Amino acid sequence: MTDVNDEQLDALLSAAASGVDYDGLVAEHDVDGYRFETPDGTHEELTEAEFGELADRNPWFVSNWYYWRARDRPDTEVAFLRYLEGADDRPVTDRYETMADDGIVASWGQLRIDIALGEDGHRVYTVRNETEADTAIESLTVHTDPLEARELVKHDDRGRYRPLKTAPTLPTGWAFVDLDGRALAETVEYVYPATIANWHLERRGELDVDHWRETMERQSGIYSVIKTWDRGEGHEHVNWVAEACCADSQCLKRREWEYEDGTPLEVDGGDGEFPCREPCSLVVTAARQWTKLEGEETKRYEFELTPSEKEQIEAIVDAVADGEAESIREADIYEGANRYRARFLRAKRFDEEGRLCGVPTDDGS
Amino acid sequence: MQALVIVAHGSHLNPDASTPTYDHADTIREAGVFDEVRTAFWKEEPSFREVLRTVESEEVYVVPLFISEGYFTEEVIPRELRLEGWDLEQWDSDGTSATHATLEAADVDKTIHYCGPVGTHDAMSDVIVRRAETVTGDSEAGEGFALAVVGHGTERNENSAKAVHLHADRIAETGRFDEVKALFMDEDPEIDDVTDFFETTDIVVVPLFIADGYHTQEDIPEDMGLTDDYRTGWETPAEVDGHRIWYAGAVGTEGLTADVVIERAADAGADVGDAIETVRHRTRSDANASAGD
């Protein structure tokens, strides 16, 4: 424990006149002198020198107050940073001991955030992919400028473009180090845009959720067709959309929007820390295509398949839907979605025009 | 505090669609005249819908990184930003003359200065000229050169062609280039016949598009005959029918576009100090550096 920083002590002395009561630290100043209180004890009728000595013995309480209150931070940022270190639940001493020791570990989506104690009680944040929690920072590509996060998160580890920032495909191999609170919030903003703002609104009970119906009613241009998909005959189709797009395996946001106010969807919204407040542009774009496809009537087709071939088709759909097709090993011919198995099925069951069992899609084709 | 929010289309499919938006935001951020500089996209995140809540400033200047007035600037962006009481009349525009309107947004307690798109600002003419300098590597490029400004055409929006004509006319009036013409992808005069429209041997072709993508990197090069297959690339300049075509790619990728964004905000009342001069100077240095590579 080091002595209290002079600047912080001066700030506390001035603030005491209007009263300080923060995370267990109470500092007041009236005609009887100063009052200094921590969970360890209360001291009253103090001179400025005595007050300074007590502050000297409790620098963590003073710097904790200073870090959160004496600096100009937006409310959203304060709430987010305090949430990360559990400031509303963990006493100052407990947090400082942990930060000074191994650091406090927090998470946000797939981000692992390490909070260490910096100089004069300030925090130093480190951010990386949670799957690399045990990887030495030196073996990662190190960044200090939050803006660099934009390019880093553009592609997944397989080199594919990530149009959805909250898809659980955060790439690995990098770390942001030596960040202060502002830089941490900026970095998170570039990795998971608007998640902090919406999380904060939700905590205050002010999150403005736009449900499926109102979102689709709002659409125009090529997307205005989507509203015709809702025919007042139930909302099973929206359950399918949410199951397809919004499960935790596809998006880390916790879906808070429903079919409409008072009509919840039957599928789970997920367990993410930050909320999803309306169908996103990917859902809207996909819904336009589904609206067109779902306008078709069903038809009866007749296919001759062995039982294993039927199951193989189901296995192929599952593998694609779960993103596992590429991880099926080259020679694993026991998997229905194995490439050789699929090629065999195509060779046997597709005609030269690519039609399953030679069955035309339309009567005339 | 004042914030700048650049709103752009973005893409679900093309990872480079956002690049010019980020680049211009960075240039403006470095100029240091806005307390915050943010970007938002129709197809990427943060969305138009949620960007304003990420901004701390009470005065927010929203500049659309779009080429023309139309569906996006008139309908989609105001609706998605929840600009209360938005009415196209507030822009009082003839299709290319919108400057700004001041409104409130329904979900945040801020004043929103909603600006016209970058593509119709007079300063965009300078960006087209700068683009010609960059592609030819000649900061004096003009004499001995023809200039074709290329637009999409009227298929979706008549204002899109108006913006192309606006800049072609403005640049022609300066007399800097031997010839200047507006050409289009889907209407006459068509880009396919580019060499038919010019006497001058050297023709600089600048597409009035924000980002490089399918149109600027696949369609236009093939339509002009720069290459049979865009995937194999093309020469700059490329020989076509006895002419040399200097194809510049999307004008919106030119660094000087950042200046137009600032000018839009300044026209709407933002305090931009000497940022316009700074950015004009800095992006010129960058352009010369890249021309020398």
Side-chain angles (χ1 to χ4, degrees):
Chain A
M1 216 179 281
T2 53
D3 289 349
V4 72
N5 168 298
D6 286 344
E7 183 184 327
Q8 297 178 4
L9 176 58
D10 288 346
L12 186 62
L13 282 165
S14 330
S18 47
V20 166
D21 184 354
Y22 199 80
D23 284 354
L25 171 70
V26 175
E28 289 167 3
H29 184 211
D30 59 22
V31 287
D32 298 324
Y34 286 94
R35 170 187 162 98
F36 188 96
E37 180 184 321
T38 69
D40 291 334
T42 303
H43 308 270
E44 293 177 300
E45 298 180 23
L46 304 167
T47 65
E48 186 175 316
E50 290 167 335
F51 184 95
E53 281 168 25
L54 282 162
D56 238 4
R57 296 210 297 272
N58 294 279
W60 287 353
F61 279 91
V62 179
S63 70
N64 179 70
W65 164 80
Y66 186 82
Y67 186 70
W68 297 118
R69 298 303 295 268
R71 304 187 71 207
D72 184 24
R73 291 183 190 281
D75 291 348
T76 309
E77 188 180 302
V78 171
F80 173 65
L81 297 177
R82 283 181 60 85
Y83 168 78
L84 292 181
E85 66 178 62
D88 291 341
D89 307 316
R90 298 176 68 176
V92 169
T93 320
D94 176 29
R95 278 186 277 135
Y96 270 68
E97 279 171 356
T98 311
M99 284 193 289
D101 195 7
D102 293 332
I104 293 177
V105 176
S107 77
W108 192 256
Q110 285 185 292
L111 294 176
R112 173 193 165 106
I113 300 166
D114 287 275
I115 310 168
L117 199 56
E119 280 182 24
D120 296 325
H122 290 277
R123 277 72 164 153
V124 179
Y125 300 89
T126 306
V127 188
R128 60 189 128 159
N129 187 306
E130 64 184 0
T131 61
E132 295 177 306
D134 299 325
T135 308
I137 293 288
E138 301 74 51
S139 61
L140 301 172
T141 308
V142 166
H143 302 265
T144 53
D145 181 355
L147 287 168
E148 290 171 3
R150 291 178 310 198
E151 282 301 318
L152 276 179
V153 303
K154 219 174 206 182
H155 296 88
D156 66 16
D157 276 342
R158 289 157 64 189
R160 297 180 308 176
Y161 175 48
R162 300 173 68 240
L164 179 65
K165 295 281 203 302
T166 45
T169 54
L170 194 67
T172 56
W174 48 268
F176 283 82
V177 301
D178 290 333
L179 302 178
D180 62 13
R182 172 56 55 92
L184 172 74
E186 286 252 323
T187 305
V188 172
E189 178 63 28
Y190 293 127
V191 177
Y192 296 131
T195 56
I196 299 175
N198 283 328
W199 166 87
H200 190 231
L201 285 170
E202 184 181 50
R203 293 231 312 177
R204 296 193 306 188
E206 294 171 8
L207 185 68
D208 48 339
V209 173
D210 284 353
H211 299 291
W212 168 275
R213 287 273 297 189
E214 49 205 305
T215 302
M216 299 314 161
E217 288 291 334
R218 193 177 83 223
Q219 302 304 318
S220 58
I222 61 172
Y223 301 106
S224 54
V225 69
I226 302 170
K227 56 177 82 77
T228 67
W229 200 10
D230 302 328
R231 298 197 186 88
E233 301 160 2
H235 53 270
E236 197 177 24
H237 58 299
V238 185
N239 281 328
W240 296 330
V241 171
E243 185 176 328
C245 302
C246 309
D248 281 348
S249 65
Q250 306 302 305
C251 179
L252 299 170
K253 286 184 190 170
R254 171 173 29 83
R255 180 178 53 74
E256 288 298 318
W257 55 267
E258 305 290 353
Y259 179 62
E260 59 189 346
D261 196 18
T263 310
L265 299 178
E266 279 82 54
V267 295
D268 186 44
D271 300 319
E273 285 149 298
F274 33 79
C276 173
R277 44 163 301 284
E278 69 177 35
C280 68
S281 75
L282 278 155
V283 165
V284 170
T285 304
R288 171 179 176 244
Q289 181 67 0
W290 282 318
T291 301
K292 290 198 268 182
L293 297 175
E294 291 296 294
E296 296 178 5
E297 294 295 324
T298 57
K299 268 173 65 99
R300 183 172 292 270
Y301 293 101
E302 205 167 297
F303 303 104
E304 290 251 332
L305 300 171
T306 66
S308 293
E309 286 168 347
K310 172 187 172 287
E311 288 183 357
Q312 189 188 347
I313 290 170
E314 291 159 357
I316 290 170
V317 172
D318 274 342
V320 172
D322 295 333
E324 288 168 357
E326 285 201 19
S327 59
I328 293 172
R329 291 168 296 172
E330 185 95 357
D332 191 356
I333 38 84
Y334 306 101
E335 286 284 347
N338 168 268
R339 196 173 75 242
Y340 294 125
R341 287 280 306 278
R343 291 177 64 83
F344 183 90
L345 182 70
R346 183 171 68 177
K348 177 183 173 187
R349 291 296 186 191
F350 285 23
D351 67 8
E352 58 282 357
E353 291 175 46
R355 300 179 301 194
L356 180 62
C357 299
V359 175
T361 301
D362 294 311
D363 294 335
S365 62
Chain B
M1 285 177 74
Q2 60 175 9
L4 173 71
V5 176
I6 306 176
V7 292
H9 193 285
S11 171
H12 288 160
L13 301 172
N14 173 9
D16 300 322
S18 56
T19 306
T21 313
Y22 289 156
D23 288 347
H24 303 322
D26 291 352
T27 301
I28 297 166
R29 199 174 280 117
E30 280 168 29
V33 290
F34 290 95
D35 299 292
E36 299 168 282
V37 178
R38 299 242 172 253
T39 55
F41 302 92
W42 174 231
K43 294 285 185 183
E44 298 179 38
E45 296 157 281
S47 62
F48 297 161
R49 203 79 182 140
E50 298 185 350
V51 68
L52 294 178
R53 64 192 57 198
T54 71
V55 173
E56 199 189 333
S57 306
E58 284 163 8
E59 298 288 324
V60 183
Y61 295 85
V62 176
V63 178
L65 199 61
F66 282 78
I67 285 302
S68 55
E69 293 174 29
Y71 175 59
F72 279 99
T73 61
E74 295 170 358
E75 186 174 340
V76 174
I77 297 167
R79 179 189 75 213
E80 297 291 293
L81 291 176
R82 301 171 172 85
L83 299 185
E84 291 192 311
W86 161 252
D87 182 345
L88 187 53
E89 295 295 308
Q90 289 166 287
W91 263 358
D92 188 25
S93 174
D94 63 7
T96 59
S97 64
T99 60
H100 67 281
T102 301
L103 301 121
E104 306 280 321
D107 61 326
V108 291
D109 189 17
K110 300 176 188 305
T111 302
I112 313 298
H113 305 272
Y114 181 49
C115 302
V118 293
T120 55
H121 196 282
D122 284 353
M124 196 49 138
S125 299
D126 301 343
V127 185
I128 294 169
V129 172
R130 176 76 69 83
R131 195 88 194 120
E133 295 172 8
T134 308
V135 71
T136 57
D138 176 1
S139 61
E140 305 292 322
E143 197 179 336
F145 282 95
L147 173 70
V149 183
V150 180
H152 197 282
T154 56
E155 186 186 307
R156 288 181 295 188
N157 169 13
E158 65 171 311
N159 286 342
S160 131
K162 280 189 193 168
V164 178
H165 284 294
L166 171 84
H167 296 298
D169 292 349
R170 281 175 47 84
I171 296 167
E173 278 167 26
T174 67
R176 172 166 173 163
F177 294 87
D178 291 356
E179 301 171 84
V180 181
K181 289 215 161 53
L183 302 181
F184 299 94
M185 291 180 64
D186 63 3
E187 68 177 83
D188 287 331
E190 275 198 26
I191 188 70
D192 305 43
D193 311 314
V194 57
T195 53
D196 293 353
F197 301 113
F198 296 98
E199 304 280 320
T200 316
T201 303
D202 286 285
I203 308 169
V204 177
V205 177
V206 180
L208 194 63
F209 285 75
I210 290 298
D212 275 321
Y214 174 70
H215 290 314
T216 65
Q217 295 300 302
E218 300 179 25
D219 265 4
I220 297 176
E222 288 185 6
D223 288 351
M224 290 195 300
L226 301 186
T227 175
D228 293 331
D229 182 346
Y230 74 89
R231 286 168 294 192
T232 60
W234 55 86
E235 298 287 315
T236 306
E239 300 279 343
V240 179
D241 300 336
H243 290 263
R244 278 192 294 271
I245 307 279
W246 303 76
Y247 181 57
V251 69
T253 62
E254 182 66 40
L256 185 59
T257 307
D259 163 71
V260 187
V261 175
I262 300 174
E263 298 219 21
R264 274 288 182 219
D267 292 348
D271 178 4
V272 301
D274 58 0
I276 291 171
E277 284 310 308
T278 308
V279 167
R280 281 188 167 242
H281 178 74
R282 185 177 300 159
T283 57
R284 174 173 288 282
S285 313
D286 291 348
N288 290 343
S290 63
D293 284 345

